């Protein structure tokens, strides 16, 4: 079955966006800072210690690269600006009654490389395959089944797939990289952790930061990177996505479909907690992209929430329907992301972006727009680096 517009956005991927990090209550719809999970303690590693490789960024790409390098016997430390792993793969464990995805939502395709991470932990998934649609308000709903489903949601949280990648890695959280000095065979990374300066020295670095962060010159490189590389960073297009999650204490769609396509509504509507055990409520995902997302994001959060709620009320046939909780995150305003979604269909400078700088700086992720692509990119960067460094651990 084909649809005139994607059910969950371009390439079937959603990365969550909207007004900062906001949590709304039933009574006040008030905004507040979402809390992340408490990270596990950093195993091993000493500030300023000489390393084989320093990995900048603990998203899927950075962790994948670090895992391969560590398993090959390299001394590796991962530097992460946030207090959690995952980057734009962010499962919030307790903002609602069940874990919710503020970032990447789905595994795409049955042959994605990340399935190995799902299977290794015995995780369960829910296949998004059922759609309700109607062409006019008041018409009966038509339920359809997608013949070849391509969106699979990890029950209990997508971020779980990263656990084996991060296992026993030295990860330095709350550490913001400011400057990277690089010469042949040596890199010095200058960072800040809670107001203190920290330095890491290594033979090489894997840079696994979003391209929007690199394009904004948030990290200084000395000497400066080649102009063709920085020009390629700045030429990468992005587009806006607005994503709001609303929790209700009862079912709100006419049937238990994964998606609802409503007449004349330019947004995606999805049951975001299908398959969650022992959960009788509903979490509705409402999203928009590009021009419609930009319009919504220009509104005050309360008004944006109200627009989405009115649509859900119309579908439910209940004008008094009120959410228990509301949650959203705007990646474009997140200083460690600076954009929600890379428009991979219009990238022209991938070769320049991934070209190593000497034998010192390697690049992973950067412009990938799916978690499995990030995972693959990290593996490829690590393999490329190992070919340069050799398999045995080196001393500076």
């Amino acid at each position: 079955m084909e649809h005139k517009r994607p059910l969950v956005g371009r390439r079937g991927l959603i990365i969550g966006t909207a007004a900062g990090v906001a949590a709304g209550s039933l009574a006040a719809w008030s905004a507040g800072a979402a809390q992340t999970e408490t990270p596990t303690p950093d195993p091993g590693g000493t500030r300023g210690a000489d390393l084989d490789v320093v990995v900048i960024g603990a998203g899927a790409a950075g962790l994948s690269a670090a895992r391969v390098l560590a398993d090959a016997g390299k001394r590796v430390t991962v530097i992460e600006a946030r207090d959690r792993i995952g980057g734009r793969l962010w499962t919030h464990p307790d903002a609602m009654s069940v874990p919710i995805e503020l970032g990447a939502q789905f595994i795409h395709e049955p042959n994605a490389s990340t399935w190995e991470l799902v299977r290794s932990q015995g995780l369960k998934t829910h296949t998004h395959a059922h759609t309700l649609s109607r062409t006019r308000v008041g018409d009966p709903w038509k339920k359809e089944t997608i013949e070849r489903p391509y969106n699979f949601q990890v029950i209990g949280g997508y971020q779980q797939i990263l656990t084996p990648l991060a296992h026993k890695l030295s990860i330095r959280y709350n550490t913001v990289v400011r400057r990277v000095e690089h010469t042949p065979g040596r890199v010095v990374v200058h960072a800040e952790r809670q107001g203190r300066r920290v330095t890491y020295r290594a033979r090489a670095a894997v840079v696994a930061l979003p391209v929007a962060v690199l394009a904004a010159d948030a990290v200084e490189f000395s000497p400066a990177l080649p102009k063709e590389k920085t020009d390629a960073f700045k030429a990468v297009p992005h587009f806006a996505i607005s994503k709001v999650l609303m929790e209700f204490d009862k079912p709100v769609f006419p049937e238990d479909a994964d998606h609802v396509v409503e007449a004349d509504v330019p947004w995606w509507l999805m049951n975001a907690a299908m398959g969650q055990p022992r959960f009788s409520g509903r979490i509705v995902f409402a999203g928009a992209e590009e021009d419609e997302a930009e319009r919504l994001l220009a509104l005050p959060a309360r008004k944006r929430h109200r627009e989405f709620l009115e649509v859900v009320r119309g579908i439910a046939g209940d004008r008094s329907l009120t959410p228990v909780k509301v949650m959203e995150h705007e990646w474009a305003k997140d200083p460690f992301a600076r954009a929600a979604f890379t428009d991979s269909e219009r990238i022209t400078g991938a070769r320049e972006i991934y070209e190593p700088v000497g034998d010192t700086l390697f690049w992973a992720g950067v412009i990938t727009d799916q978690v499995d692509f990030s995972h693959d990119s990290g593996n490829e960067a690590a393999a490329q680096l190992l070919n340069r460094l050799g398999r045995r651990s080196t001393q500076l």
Side-chain angles (χ1 to χ4, degrees), residues 202 290 301 339:
E290 301 194 75

Side-chain angles (χ1 to χ4, degrees), residues 38-365:
T38 302
T40 56
D42 296 341
T46 303
R47 180 171 59 87
D50 288 343
L51 303 160
D52 290 319
V53 184
V54 59
V55 176
I56 303 173
L63 291 177
S64 297
R67 178 79 275 144
V68 172
L69 293 164
D71 288 349
K74 299 302 179 184
R75 296 164 299 165
V76 182
T77 285
V78 182
I79 304 174
E80 171 54 48
R82 298 181 174 92
D83 60 356
R84 61 175 180 84
I85 62 172
R88 285 175 288 180
L89 171 50
W90 181 14
T91 303
H92 200 301
D94 53 18
M96 291 185 171
S97 298
V98 296
I100 59 169
E101 308 298 352
L102 291 176
Q105 193 83 29
F106 297 117
I107 297 173
H108 302 292
E109 307 296 340
N111 59 349
S113 63
T114 43
W115 279 107
E116 65 187 68
L117 300 172
V118 173
R119 296 184 183 109
S120 70
Q121 300 176 81
L123 301 175
K124 297 184 182 301
T125 60
H126 173 75
T127 303
H128 281 247
H130 301 291
T131 303
L132 286 178
S133 63
R134 62 183 180 184
T135 56
R136 288 190 302 272
V137 174
D139 282 358
W141 290 98
K142 180 180 180 181
K143 190 170 185 178
E144 299 174 284
T145 299
I146 300 172
E147 294 178 1
R148 295 180 181 178
Y150 58 93
N151 287 326
F152 307 89
Q153 189 162 0
V154 179
I155 295 172
Y158 199 171
Q159 199 167 321
Q160 295 174 99
I161 72 166
L162 302 182
T163 299
L165 298 180
H167 181 63
K168 291 187 176 180
L169 288 179
S170 171
I171 304 175
R172 299 308 190 191
Y173 297 97
N174 301 306
T175 303
V176 182
V177 173
R178 301 299 187 190
R179 178 181 172 89
V180 178
E181 298 173 358
H182 57 102
T183 55
R186 186 175 179 86
V187 63
V188 181
V189 177
H190 300 275
E192 294 180 8
R193 182 188 301 131
Q194 298 176 334
R196 294 190 305 115
R197 296 180 181 179
V198 290
T199 303
Y200 299 87
R201 297 175 179 85
R203 172 81 181 275
V206 175
V207 181
L209 299 175
V211 70
V213 172
L214 296 168
D217 298 321
V219 176
E220 178 187 359
F221 290 87
S222 179
L225 297 175
K227 185 176 185 299
E228 56 268 25
K229 185 177 290 290
T230 57
D231 286 349
F233 290 158
K234 297 179 188 299
V236 172
H238 308 279
F239 63 87
I241 294 178
S242 176
K243 171 180 174 179
V244 177
L245 292 159
M246 295 184 177
E247 178 178 347
F248 299 89
D249 59 7
K250 61 183 179 181
V252 294
F253 290 161
E255 296 183 49
D256 276 340
D258 299 302
H259 308 280
V260 172
V261 179
E262 172 66 286
D264 301 322
V265 174
W267 307 329
W268 321 300
L269 298 165
M270 183 182 77
N271 262 327
M274 294 290 283
Q276 291 284 354
R278 298 178 298 279
F279 177 57
S280 59
R282 290 295 182 272
I283 294 176
V284 175
F285 163 118
E289 69 174 26
E290 301 194 75
D291 291 346
E292 181 64 9
E294 291 178 1
R295 182 190 71 80
L296 289 165
L297 292 171
L299 299 174
R302 178 191 291 265
K303 188 170 183 179
R304 179 169 56 254
H305 297 168
R306 183 62 61 183
E307 281 201 28
F308 281 132
L309 178 58
E310 289 304 314
V311 171
V312 177
R313 284 174 170 173
I315 291 172
D318 182 354
R319 307 311 303 178
S320 65
L321 188 67
T322 303
V324 176
K325 297 176 182 176
V326 179
M327 193 74 182
E328 56 180 350
H329 182 67
E330 185 175 358
W331 293 102
K333 292 182 179 179
D334 183 326
F336 307 128
R338 297 184 181 243
F341 202 147
T342 300
D343 191 350
S344 61
E345 296 176 3
R346 295 192 290 132
I347 293 173
T348 59
R351 184 181 64 81
E352 290 81 3
I353 286 171
Y354 287 118
E355 184 68 26
V357 177
D359 288 336
T360 308
L361 298 181
F362 297 78
W363 310 86

